Amino acid sequence: MDRKKVVIIGGVAGGATTAARLRRLDKDAEIIIMEKGDYISYANCGLPYYIGDVIKQREALLLQTPEAMKQRFNIEVRTGNEVLSIQRQEKKVTVKRAADGSQYQEDYDVLVLATGSTPIVPPIKGIQGEGIFTLWNIPDTDRIKTYITEKKPKTAAVIGGGFIGLEMAENLRQVGCQVAVIEMQDQVMTPLDFEMAQLVHENMKLNGVELILSDGVQTFEQVAQTPVPTNRVTLASGRQVEAELVILSIGIKANSSLAKEAGLELNQRGGILVDDYLKTSDESIYAVGDAIEVTEFIEKGKTMIPLAGPANKQARICAGNIAAGFGTVKGNPETYEGTQGTSVAKVFDLTVAATGLNEKALIRMGKKPEVDYFVATISQKSHAGYYPDATTLTMKLLFGLSGKIFGAQIVGVDGVDKRIDVIATAIRLGATATDLKKLELAYAPPYSSAKDPVNMLGFVSENILNGLVRFVPWNGLEKREELAEQAGVPAVTVLDVRESFERMAFAPTDSVHIPFGQLKERLGELDQNQLIVTFCAIGVRAYNAARILMNAGFKHVAVYPGGAGFYRSVFHDTLCGKEDGSCGTPFPSGGGTVTDSGDVQKATSLGLENLVITKNVDCSGLQCPGPIMKVYNAVNEIEEGDLIKVSATDMGFAADIESWCKRTGNTLVKREREGKQNVVYLQKGAAQSGGIGEGETKVAELPQGKTMVVFSGDLDKVLASFIIANGAAAMGRPVTMFFTFWGLNALRKQQKQTIQKPFIEGMFGRMMPRGVSKLKLSNMNMGGMGTKMMKKVMNDKNVDSLEALMKKAMENGVKLVACTMSMDVMGIRKEELIDGVGLGGVAAYLGDAEQANVNLFI
């Protein structure tokens, strides 16, 4: 058998992988890689992190050298050799040596084009000026790294908000630059839909990046040479930005000029056309990587997706098909089945990932929401909420009427990559959205929950397809008239089922407030002829509320997806009411940081010599509304004017805390990101002239509510509780009675309920009093005689019985809440409680307690 010769033009992912795989399949073939640059294989995805000193050693970026390829694989690598042309008829290429400019020809049996892509550098005036760079390869990296080391720029502008642009923004912040990202589109990260990109926008601003959207570059002009060359960037809007370092990350284009000049077929974007076997229009020429047009895996359209993962897979298939053509491997050639565009990127402390089609693509294809596809958007914790450092995952799944998964997007701090990989795998293997509920995924508290977030997407998708829930779009609250028209109803009611204290941080405009625990008793307050959109913190209570409404006969019900945290992030610019979207009052001009000094942190850099941070509050892992509750308690423990530092992993906390401060009369000094945490500095009380966070603060009215924990099951103590409750209700005060442990017996129905219980729980129930008529006095009960005497005296004196007092309390709006934890411990079931009693936990009680100026434990 004649020895075959394969020439590969280009290295890195496509070319080097093709060569190495081909050698493993064919020990005899002559393999030559032509690379016009000096480096055959390097980690181009790691280049920004070397610039930011995250990757310390330059050598770590170099994956293979010509010498190693020769020694390990017997592959000849000719760096500094640029292929100028292809002579298809003669099966030759013309090559230019960079060392001396000489040219020669090399013949081939098979040619592989792995020419990749290059950054777009548009013909903008001044774009070739000093201090303006692209980042695509090792020489680019060296130039930028040297410039930063020598010039030490303090300001930088990144033109373009794609993967490389955002990674560069982060790494330039890492080396001390003030960074502005300029993007002509209305969002960064085009694989994401707009609302998901808004989460990234918010986080970039929290990390100190100036974000300029919907504005393109018109000109560059050098305005200074010393001490550092400075470029003035003039935008289409007329706005000007000055930067000592400019990174161009506008986009890329296929390196297909060789293919074009050789007469190979290209698409309109310059992508090389290949068949399913990665063969071009010439039988002897294959192509892989960024330069080729691929089949989009989901809907089988044609597109170009320049990603390293697909390029490596194409290279492996290409090598196998070449070897099959040579007869050195058995079996038929393999087809490349398409690219689904799975991608992930680190943007400061966030991880951003996507796979498949986004909603923008579906709309371009002519598909209509709730007709051709559905959207499930949920907020879940990265792992069990009770385990430290659980953070929020915002997940969006797009799927069809048959359950076919079109695509997914996830934004979060931890656990994003493994969830997107699970969904990407499901798509590749043909699983449906509802199949996600069946996946048995690894669970331990540090890593996940018993119902993994991917499972939750499956549950929600199933509910949507079965008509158990309908979601409004992410901007539905801003388009209520449109929603009403679509539903064929006169108006939309936004029903907020959170607790009162949660609404202190944020409440939707023109919303009706009925706490979830009271919803069943207050259904009559809602108009069944309107579309009711339920709203809560993360979407769980909103779904449960929607089911209550639908089961009660409401025909027009929908849920706002993702809850208040998602809404506040999506609309952070509008809600903050500032041009740059920043919230909170920054440090005074001139900067300054809060520095540690033993156990007490001093804020002398703020110009307030005597002010100290007296408390550090760690809310890491707490889910909304946990951080707000913890801050409330901490503020109550410090003196007026004192400063506290609060750290929270909940992504919505930074937005919530500003509203909370305004409503409670406290001052938000500053908010920022430190690693995975939102960090805020709060001063107790309103800001004073010349002090921290000077400006207007809204002093809240004193709370007027009354709350009590009814722990006792004694007749006289429960009686006193209801007398106080009715008195407060008569004064128009909101009252919450939280019944726990023995106090739960007062809420039990007198009639025995037929409920199957374990033996111990059943025995417990038989031993405890059932309802108020069975309660006894705490003292002088005398075998029941004292209790009977007390009831007779009350009747003679026209004092309402306990039964009557309870009825009046409930008629007057007193909220009776049974502690669910105590119910579990004591074996009491919901069916055993009298009608009108809500169920709740400590958080629900504390929420009302924060609105109260009287709290009793009875």
Side-chain angles (χ1 to χ4, degrees), residues 332-374:
N332 296 321
E334 183 180 356
T335 60
Y336 181 68
E337 296 179 356
T339 304
Q340 63 194 75
T342 305
S343 60
V344 65
K346 179 181 180 294
V347 185
F348 292 95
D349 43 297
L350 281 186
T351 301
V352 183
T355 188
L357 299 172
N358 57 31
E359 192 169 6
K360 294 176 291 189
L362 293 178
I363 292 172
R364 284 196 301 269
M365 293 176 182
K367 296 184 184 293
K368 298 179 180 179
E370 297 192 345
V371 175
D372 302 304
Y373 70 90
F374 294 101

Side-chain angles (χ1 to χ4, degrees), residues 41-117:
S41 181
Y42 55 88
N44 49 356
C45 295
L47 302 181
Y49 300 101
Y50 172 63
I51 291 172
D53 283 333
V54 176
I55 297 173
K56 301 295 184 182
Q57 301 298 323
R58 180 178 181 276
E59 290 72 21
L61 301 172
L62 305 177
L63 305 181
Q64 278 288 1
T65 64
E67 294 76 19
M69 291 286 281
K70 182 65 175 177
Q71 182 178 6
R72 293 181 60 190
F73 299 110
N74 190 27
I75 295 170
E76 183 180 355
V77 178
R78 300 178 188 174
T79 57
N81 280 247
E82 179 182 4
V83 176
L84 300 178
S85 63
I86 303 169
Q87 290 79 50
R88 291 169 51 194
Q89 297 299 323
E90 295 84 2
K91 287 192 173 183
K92 293 181 179 180
V93 292
T94 300
V95 187
K96 177 182 176 180
R97 297 185 181 92
D100 57 11
S102 62
Q103 297 184 11
Y104 66 94
Q105 287 190 324
E106 192 74 44
D107 61 346
Y108 63 83
D109 292 302
V110 172
L111 183 67
V112 179
L113 302 181
T115 47
S117 55

Side-chain angles (χ1 to χ4, degrees), residues 174-185:
Q174 178 78 13
V175 296
C177 288
Q178 293 295 318
V179 179
V181 172
I182 301 167
E183 169 57 56
M184 188 164 58
Q185 304 299 320

Side-chain angles (χ1 to χ4, degrees), residues 517-536:
Q518 302 177 24
L519 182 57
K520 288 183 179 180
E521 290 74 37
R522 297 174 61 182
L523 290 176
E525 299 176 24
L526 300 171
D527 186 347
Q528 293 201 32
N529 294 318
Q530 294 191 6
L531 171 63
I532 311 297
V533 178
T534 56
F535 183 94
C536 71

Side-chain angles (χ1 to χ4, degrees), residues 497-568:
V497 297
R498 296 174 299 157
E499 299 297 326
S500 299
F501 76 96
E502 295 177 79
R503 284 171 61 89
M504 290 178 65
F506 166 72
T509 304
D510 297 328
S511 58
V512 173
H513 179 222
I514 301 179
F516 179 74
Q518 302 177 24
L519 182 57
K520 288 183 179 180
E521 290 74 37
R522 297 174 61 182
L523 290 176
E525 299 176 24
L526 300 171
D527 186 347
Q528 293 201 32
N529 294 318
Q530 294 191 6
L531 171 63
I532 311 297
V533 178
T534 56
F535 183 94
C536 71
I538 62 171
V540 176
R541 282 173 290 174
Y543 168 69
N544 290 328
R547 292 304 309 150
I548 290 173
L549 292 171
M550 294 171 75
N551 288 333
F554 283 73
K555 302 297 183 184
H556 310 289
V557 182
V559 174
Y560 183 80
F566 178 64
Y567 181 90
R568 297 212 66 185

Side-chain angles (χ1 to χ4, degrees), residues 17 53 94 130 145 422 426 461 488 529 541 610 650 710 772 824 838:
T17 302
D53 283 333
T94 300
E130 187 176 2
K145 187 78 169 178
V422 169
S461 300
N529 294 318
R541 282 173 290 174
N610 298 320
D650 182 67
V710 183
V772 293
D824 289 340

